[in-house]
Amino acid sequence: MKKTLVICVLFNPSKEVLKKWSSLSSHKNEYIDFCFVDNSKNSHSNNISGNFIFIHNGKNIGIAEAQNKGIEYAIEKGYDYVVFFDQDSIADYSYIENIVNEYNRIKYYIPNIGVLGPTIINVSTGIQYKSQKTKSHYNYKIVNCLISSGSIIEINTLKIVGFMDKRLFIDYVDFEWCWRANSKGYISIITELISLNHKVGQEDKKFLSYPIIISSPFRYYFQYRNWLWLCKRSYVPQGYKFKSGIRKLVEFIVIPMLTNNGTLILKEMLRGIKDGIQKK
């Protein structure tokens, strides 16, 4: 087994989250190490047990730049893979070994694999999140993009494709990297053999049977700003630009009516649109 660095970005984590990661980082394996990149104002290094690398930023620099700090460490120390996690994702220790083995299994069929992600299960409902409609091959699916939590990328691939785009800060960071990798000949894949319990957004709602994911108000600034930025990039799929544009229009009308923070959310959406147009 090659050397793997697990990179988990922390931001004001709960005691339960810290306890979970302490349990994972306490395992001893010469091939797997943990790196916590803390975007909280106050460091949580003393609240985690086990063997780990800890990078404290002292402020919220965004998930993209935090991941980049972990990647830089992985390159400096000669790791072969990085596995990304959001702090709230739920996985056991065997997940890491399994995703590395699965990556190598699929690489046999697709040598130009760029990133491998798990099947994502909604931790609140136990139902699988819908991914792009695509056929299954040998228990994996080729997709346009996937979320970063639970995903694995080879260090050599990151050296060619580049790091995460820190200007995006938080939303669509993972999607943008997948599209950029695809423009350089790499393929994004979701395995059906490994799943990860995860929560996208804060709440699930429906509008006329149309699924709506509710996020915290400040996220809508980045969602609308970043969407406008990405629409101007040639390597972003035209289908995404069109479909997400329709979705953004629907969400702009519907989401403020579905939540108690409607006025604040609408304000953040408008601010994101303004800065997206002005490239701020």
Side-chain angles (χ1 to χ4, degrees):
M1 188 174 179
K2 296 183 179 180
K3 289 188 67 177
T4 302
L5 183 66
V6 177
I7 301 174
C8 177
V9 178
L10 301 175
F11 181 66
N12 298 334
S14 66
K15 291 181 180 179
E16 290 73 19
V17 165
L18 294 171
K19 182 178 179 181
K20 175 194 69 176
W21 284 108
S22 292
S23 175
L24 290 176
S25 62
S26 294
H27 285 79
K28 291 184 178 181
N29 187 314
E30 61 180 310
Y31 300 106
I32 299 173
D33 291 319
F34 288 80
C35 175
F36 297 101
V37 186
D38 193 353
N39 277 350
S40 311
K41 181 178 180 180
N42 299 315
S43 174
H44 292 86
S45 60
N46 294 330
N47 303 112
I48 304 176
S49 59
N51 300 307
F52 55 86
I53 300 95
F54 199 91
I55 301 172
H56 181 226
N57 297 316
K59 62 179 181 179
N60 189 1
I61 62 173
I63 192 169
E65 191 168 359
Q67 288 177 335
N68 288 343
K69 286 181 177 290
I71 294 169
E72 288 170 357
Y73 180 87
I75 292 175
E76 178 186 344
K77 298 300 180 181
Y79 287 88
D80 300 290
Y81 307 101
V82 290
V83 176
F84 297 110
F85 279 105
D86 292 349
Q87 64 181 18
D88 296 325
S89 293
I90 300 174
D92 56 26
Y93 191 79
S94 63
Y95 178 96
I96 303 160
E97 293 180 335
N98 291 340
I99 200 72
V100 172
N101 292 333
E102 181 68 350
Y103 179 93
N104 286 296
R105 179 186 77 87
I106 295 174
K107 190 173 182 179
Y108 176 82
Y109 301 104
I110 303 181
N112 59 329
I113 178 175
V115 56
L116 174 67
T119 297
I120 302 295
I121 306 298
N122 188 325
V123 70
S124 299
T125 64
I127 299 174
Q128 176 183 333
Y129 283 106
K130 291 183 179 180
S131 59
Q132 299 100 322
K133 293 181 179 179
T134 180
K135 292 183 179 180
S136 175
H137 304 278
Y138 302 103
N139 299 115
Y140 65 81
K141 293 181 179 180
I142 295 174
V143 295
N144 289 324
C145 56
L146 51 83
I147 69 171
S148 67
S149 193
S151 68
I152 178 173
I153 302 177
E154 204 163 347
I155 288 296
N156 288 334
T157 304
L158 283 162
K159 289 179 179 178
I160 296 171
V161 176
F163 291 8
M164 306 301 158
D165 187 347
K166 66 180 183 180
R167 294 169 296 178
L168 298 177
F169 196 78
I170 185 167
D171 282 287
Y172 308 135
V173 171
D174 37 19
F175 288 9
E176 185 277 336
W177 189 92
C178 291
W179 293 323
R180 181 158 32 100
N182 183 253
S183 72
K184 297 179 183 293
Y186 289 94
I187 295 175
S188 302
I189 296 173
I190 290 177
T191 175
E192 298 175 321
L193 299 181
I194 301 176
S195 61
L196 179 72
N197 290 323
H198 182 73
K199 181 68 175 176
V200 178
Q202 288 188 327
E203 191 178 0
D204 299 306
K205 288 184 178 291
K206 284 190 176 183
F207 179 75
L208 301 177
S209 75
Y210 181 81
I212 299 286
I213 295 174
I214 306 296
S215 301
S216 56
F218 87 98
R219 292 289 294 270
Y220 289 101
Y221 167 80
F222 294 103
Q223 289 175 14
Y224 278 79
R225 187 200 67 173
N226 292 355
W227 171 71
L228 286 168
W229 280 4
L230 292 173
C231 282
K232 300 170 186 176
R233 301 186 184 185
S234 59
Y235 56 84
V236 176
Q238 293 297 326
Y240 165 80
K241 295 176 183 179
F242 177 73
K243 292 179 181 178
S244 62
I246 295 175
R247 188 178 186 93
K248 283 286 176 288
L249 177 60
V250 172
E251 291 178 345
F252 182 84
I253 298 171
V254 172
I255 289 180
M257 297 188 299
L258 293 178
T259 69
N260 295 327
N261 295 319
T263 301
L264 180 57
I265 287 175
L266 184 60
K267 180 181 177 181
E268 292 296 326
M269 288 176 171
L270 291 170
R271 195 165 67 91
I273 292 170
K274 177 183 176 183
D275 286 355
I277 293 172
Q278 297 180 353
K279 297 183 180 180
K280 287 188 177 181

PDB file of all heavy atoms in Angstrom, residues 10-11 15 35 53 56 60-61 98 106 139 156 197 249 258:
ATOM      1  N   LEU A  10     -11.269  21.532   9.319  1.00  0.00           N
ATOM      2  CA  LEU A  10     -12.101  21.805  10.492  1.00  0.00           C
ATOM      3  C   LEU A  10     -12.522  23.263  10.519  1.00  0.00           C
ATOM      4  O   LEU A  10     -11.768  24.152  10.122  1.00  0.00           O
ATOM      5  CB  LEU A  10     -11.327  21.491  11.775  1.00  0.00           C
ATOM      6  CG  LEU A  10     -10.800  20.070  11.970  1.00  0.00           C
ATOM      7  CD1 LEU A  10      -9.957  20.000  13.247  1.00  0.00           C
ATOM      8  CD2 LEU A  10     -11.935  19.065  12.025  1.00  0.00           C
ATOM      9  N   PHE A  11     -13.744  23.495  10.984  1.00  0.00           N
ATOM     10  CA  PHE A  11     -14.204  24.863  11.236  1.00  0.00           C
ATOM     11  C   PHE A  11     -15.220  24.832  12.366  1.00  0.00           C
ATOM     12  O   PHE A  11     -16.326  24.328  12.209  1.00  0.00           O
ATOM     13  CB  PHE A  11     -14.825  25.485   9.984  1.00  0.00           C
ATOM     14  CG  PHE A  11     -15.286  26.903  10.193  1.00  0.00           C
ATOM     15  CD1 PHE A  11     -14.370  27.910  10.437  1.00  0.00           C
ATOM     16  CD2 PHE A  11     -16.634  27.226  10.167  1.00  0.00           C
ATOM     17  CE1 PHE A  11     -14.781  29.221  10.651  1.00  0.00           C
ATOM     18  CE2 PHE A  11     -17.064  28.532  10.375  1.00  0.00           C
ATOM     19  CZ  PHE A  11     -16.129  29.531  10.616  1.00  0.00           C
ATOM     20  N   LYS A  15     -17.896  18.838  19.792  1.00  0.00           N
ATOM     21  CA  LYS A  15     -17.179  17.831  20.579  1.00  0.00           C
ATOM     22  C   LYS A  15     -17.345  16.446  19.963  1.00  0.00           C
ATOM     23  O   LYS A  15     -16.420  15.630  19.979  1.00  0.00           O
ATOM     24  CB  LYS A  15     -17.698  17.828  22.020  1.00  0.00           C
ATOM     25  CG  LYS A  15     -17.340  19.084  22.810  1.00  0.00           C
ATOM     26  CD  LYS A  15     -17.859  18.994  24.231  1.00  0.00           C
ATOM     27  CE  LYS A  15     -17.492  20.249  25.026  1.00  0.00           C
ATOM     28  NZ  LYS A  15     -18.017  20.196  26.425  1.00  0.00           N
ATOM     29  N   CYS A  35      -4.103  14.596   8.558  1.00  0.00           N
ATOM     30  CA  CYS A  35      -3.751  16.015   8.600  1.00  0.00           C
ATOM     31  C   CYS A  35      -5.024  16.821   8.818  1.00  0.00           C
ATOM     32  O   CYS A  35      -5.944  16.773   7.990  1.00  0.00           O
ATOM     33  CB  CYS A  35      -3.067  16.434   7.300  1.00  0.00           C
ATOM     34  SG  CYS A  35      -2.700  18.206   7.188  1.00  0.00           S
ATOM     35  N   ILE A  53      -0.980  15.392  11.916  1.00  0.00           N
ATOM     36  CA  ILE A  53      -0.384  16.675  11.576  1.00  0.00           C
ATOM     37  C   ILE A  53      -1.480  17.718  11.753  1.00  0.00           C
ATOM     38  O   ILE A  53      -2.621  17.495  11.348  1.00  0.00           O
ATOM     39  CB  ILE A  53       0.140  16.681  10.129  1.00  0.00           C
ATOM     40  CG1 ILE A  53       1.201  15.595   9.935  1.00  0.00           C
ATOM     41  CG2 ILE A  53       0.698  18.043   9.761  1.00  0.00           C
ATOM     42  CD1 ILE A  53       0.659  14.303   9.393  1.00  0.00           C
ATOM     43  N   HIS A  56      -2.968  25.078  11.871  1.00  0.00           N
ATOM     44  CA  HIS A  56      -3.968  26.029  12.368  1.00  0.00           C
ATOM     45  C   HIS A  56      -3.836  27.341  11.614  1.00  0.00           C
ATOM     46  O   HIS A  56      -2.780  27.978  11.631  1.00  0.00           O
ATOM     47  CB  HIS A  56      -3.792  26.258  13.870  1.00  0.00           C
ATOM     48  CG  HIS A  56      -4.796  27.197  14.434  1.00  0.00           C
ATOM     49  ND1 HIS A  56      -4.478  28.234  15.295  1.00  0.00           N
ATOM     50  CD2 HIS A  56      -6.150  27.293  14.249  1.00  0.00           C
ATOM     51  CE1 HIS A  56      -5.563  28.899  15.618  1.00  0.00           C
ATOM     52  NE2 HIS A  56      -6.594  28.351  14.991  1.00  0.00           N
ATOM     53  N   ASN A  60     -10.950  31.724   9.007  1.00  0.00           N
ATOM     54  CA  ASN A  60     -11.566  30.937   7.941  1.00  0.00           C
ATOM     55  C   ASN A  60     -11.012  31.381   6.587  1.00  0.00           C
ATOM     56  O   ASN A  60     -11.426  32.401   6.044  1.00  0.00           O
ATOM     57  CB  ASN A  60     -13.090  31.096   7.967  1.00  0.00           C
ATOM     58  CG  ASN A  60     -13.771  30.124   7.018  1.00  0.00           C
ATOM     59  OD1 ASN A  60     -13.125  29.315   6.355  1.00  0.00           O
ATOM     60  ND2 ASN A  60     -15.092  30.179   6.963  1.00  0.00           N
ATOM     61  N   ILE A  61     -10.075  30.611   6.054  1.00  0.00           N
ATOM     62  CA  ILE A  61      -9.473  30.936   4.752  1.00  0.00           C
ATOM     63  C   ILE A  61     -10.178  30.199   3.616  1.00  0.00           C
ATOM     64  O   ILE A  61      -9.764  30.303   2.462  1.00  0.00           O
ATOM     65  CB  ILE A  61      -7.971  30.593   4.738  1.00  0.00           C
ATOM     66  CG1 ILE A  61      -7.751  29.091   4.947  1.00  0.00           C
ATOM     67  CG2 ILE A  61      -7.228  31.409   5.787  1.00  0.00           C
ATOM     68  CD1 ILE A  61      -6.308  28.658   4.782  1.00  0.00           C
ATOM     69  N   ASN A  98     -10.038   1.007   1.972  1.00  0.00           N
ATOM     70  CA  ASN A  98     -10.930   0.540   0.908  1.00  0.00           C
ATOM     71  C   ASN A  98     -10.929   1.486  -0.291  1.00  0.00           C
ATOM     72  O   ASN A  98     -10.942   1.043  -1.444  1.00  0.00           O
ATOM     73  CB  ASN A  98     -12.352   0.384   1.448  1.00  0.00           C
ATOM     74  CG  ASN A  98     -12.481  -0.764   2.423  1.00  0.00           C
ATOM     75  OD1 ASN A  98     -11.646  -1.672   2.434  1.00  0.00           O
ATOM     76  ND2 ASN A  98     -13.518  -0.731   3.250  1.00  0.00           N
ATOM     77  N   ILE A 106      -9.928   0.421 -10.124  1.00  0.00           N
ATOM     78  CA  ILE A 106     -10.526   1.115 -11.260  1.00  0.00           C
ATOM     79  C   ILE A 106      -9.451   1.666 -12.198  1.00  0.00           C
ATOM     80  O   ILE A 106      -9.649   1.717 -13.421  1.00  0.00           O
ATOM     81  CB  ILE A 106     -11.454   2.242 -10.754  1.00  0.00           C
ATOM     82  CG1 ILE A 106     -12.634   1.626  -9.987  1.00  0.00           C
ATOM     83  CG2 ILE A 106     -11.952   3.105 -11.904  1.00  0.00           C
ATOM     84  CD1 ILE A 106     -13.531   2.636  -9.317  1.00  0.00           C
ATOM     85  N   ASN A 139     -19.060  -1.797 -11.553  1.00  0.00           N
ATOM     86  CA  ASN A 139     -19.409  -1.189 -10.268  1.00  0.00           C
ATOM     87  C   ASN A 139     -18.856   0.227 -10.077  1.00  0.00           C
ATOM     88  O   ASN A 139     -18.624   0.675  -8.956  1.00  0.00           O
ATOM     89  CB  ASN A 139     -18.961  -2.060  -9.090  1.00  0.00           C
ATOM     90  CG  ASN A 139     -19.612  -3.425  -9.107  1.00  0.00           C
ATOM     91  OD1 ASN A 139     -18.938  -4.441  -9.269  1.00  0.00           O
ATOM     92  ND2 ASN A 139     -20.922  -3.459  -8.963  1.00  0.00           N
ATOM     93  N   ASN A 156       0.490  12.818  -8.080  1.00  0.00           N
ATOM     94  CA  ASN A 156       0.999  13.115  -9.417  1.00  0.00           C
ATOM     95  C   ASN A 156      -0.056  13.802 -10.284  1.00  0.00           C
ATOM     96  O   ASN A 156       0.258  14.643 -11.124  1.00  0.00           O
ATOM     97  CB  ASN A 156       1.487  11.840 -10.095  1.00  0.00           C
ATOM     98  CG  ASN A 156       2.786  11.336  -9.493  1.00  0.00           C
ATOM     99  OD1 ASN A 156       3.563  12.112  -8.931  1.00  0.00           O
ATOM    100  ND2 ASN A 156       3.028  10.036  -9.589  1.00  0.00           N
ATOM    101  N   ASN A 197     -21.621   8.324   4.456  1.00  0.00           N
ATOM    102  CA  ASN A 197     -22.724   9.087   5.031  1.00  0.00           C
ATOM    103  C   ASN A 197     -22.310  10.551   5.151  1.00  0.00           C
ATOM    104  O   ASN A 197     -21.299  10.876   5.775  1.00  0.00           O
ATOM    105  CB  ASN A 197     -23.092   8.536   6.407  1.00  0.00           C
ATOM    106  CG  ASN A 197     -23.742   7.170   6.316  1.00  0.00           C
ATOM    107  OD1 ASN A 197     -24.518   6.905   5.400  1.00  0.00           O
ATOM    108  ND2 ASN A 197     -23.413   6.285   7.237  1.00  0.00           N
ATOM    109  N   LEU A 249     -32.260  30.084 -10.945  1.00  0.00           N
ATOM    110  CA  LEU A 249     -33.430  30.944 -11.076  1.00  0.00           C
ATOM    111  C   LEU A 249     -34.565  30.442 -10.183  1.00  0.00           C
ATOM    112  O   LEU A 249     -35.205  31.230  -9.472  1.00  0.00           O
ATOM    113  CB  LEU A 249     -33.892  30.995 -12.533  1.00  0.00           C
ATOM    114  CG  LEU A 249     -35.161  31.818 -12.809  1.00  0.00           C
ATOM    115  CD1 LEU A 249     -34.959  33.265 -12.392  1.00  0.00           C
ATOM    116  CD2 LEU A 249     -35.539  31.722 -14.287  1.00  0.00           C
ATOM    117  N   LEU A 258     -39.123  29.513   1.551  1.00  0.00           N
ATOM    118  CA  LEU A 258     -39.173  28.250   2.285  1.00  0.00           C
ATOM    119  C   LEU A 258     -38.509  28.312   3.654  1.00  0.00           C
ATOM    120  O   LEU A 258     -38.608  27.375   4.427  1.00  0.00           O
ATOM    121  CB  LEU A 258     -38.506  27.136   1.466  1.00  0.00           C
ATOM    122  CG  LEU A 258     -39.190  26.710   0.157  1.00  0.00           C
ATOM    123  CD1 LEU A 258     -38.356  25.633  -0.537  1.00  0.00           C
ATOM    124  CD2 LEU A 258     -40.601  26.199   0.423  1.00  0.00           C
TER     125      LEU A 258
END
